[in-house]
Amino acid sequence: MPAKSKAQQKAAGAALSAKRGETKRSELIGASRQMYDSMSEKQLDEFASTKRKGKPDYTPDSPIPAKKAKRKRAAKKAAATRAKNAKKKKAAPKKAAKKKAAKKRR
C-alpha cells in the first residue's frame, strides 16, 4: 500500500531505517515509532519507496494541519493583545500626568 502523503512516506522511511538497524529505535517519535511497532519491514519498504511527487504534505484527516492552524490563531491573538497593551502603556503616562496636574491645581 503506497503512502498517501509526504509525511507518511518520511515516517515510514525513518521506521524502516530503525527496523534495519541503521538508526536507534529510541530516536523514533510519533508516527514513525507507531509504524515501527505495527508494520513489517516489507510493509514499511512499500510505504517508504512511494514517490513524493504529487503527494500532499499531510493527509486531510491528519491532526498536524489542525495544530498548525490553532498555533497560527494563537499567535495572531497574542500579537493583537501585545498591540493593545502597547497602546495602553502609551496612554497611561498621559493619564497619570493629567491626574497629577489636576491634584496640583486643587
Side-chain angles (χ1 to χ4, degrees):
M1 179 173 136
K4 294 180 182 178
S5 68
K6 292 176 186 177
Q8 279 184 341
Q9 191 266 344
K10 288 179 184 180
L16 181 61
S17 173
K19 279 267 189 193
R20 291 180 176 167
E22 296 166 4
T23 59
K24 295 179 182 176
R25 181 184 182 274
S26 60
E27 293 176 5
L28 300 178
I29 57 172
S32 57
R33 177 165 288 181
Q34 289 175 340
M35 287 179 165
Y36 177 88
D37 292 334
S38 65
M39 298 173 78
S40 68
E41 188 174 336
K42 183 179 178 184
Q43 290 172 320
L44 288 171
D45 188 36
E46 288 176 15
F47 258 77
S49 64
T50 303
K51 300 292 181 196
R52 288 191 204 175
K53 189 173 183 178
K55 298 282 184 199
D57 289 335
Y58 302 98
T59 57
D61 58 340
S62 171
I64 294 173
K67 285 181 182 178
K68 284 186 176 183
K70 185 177 179 181
R71 211 176 301 129
K72 192 173 184 179
R73 282 192 305 271
K76 192 173 182 181
K77 186 176 179 181
T81 303
R82 282 193 299 272
K84 185 177 172 183
N85 289 340
K87 285 182 182 180
K88 282 183 182 179
K89 279 188 175 183
K90 287 181 181 179
K94 291 178 185 176
K95 286 182 181 180
K98 285 183 182 179
K99 285 182 182 179
K100 284 181 182 179
K103 284 184 181 179
K104 286 183 181 179
R105 286 186 214 150
R106 292 184 197 168

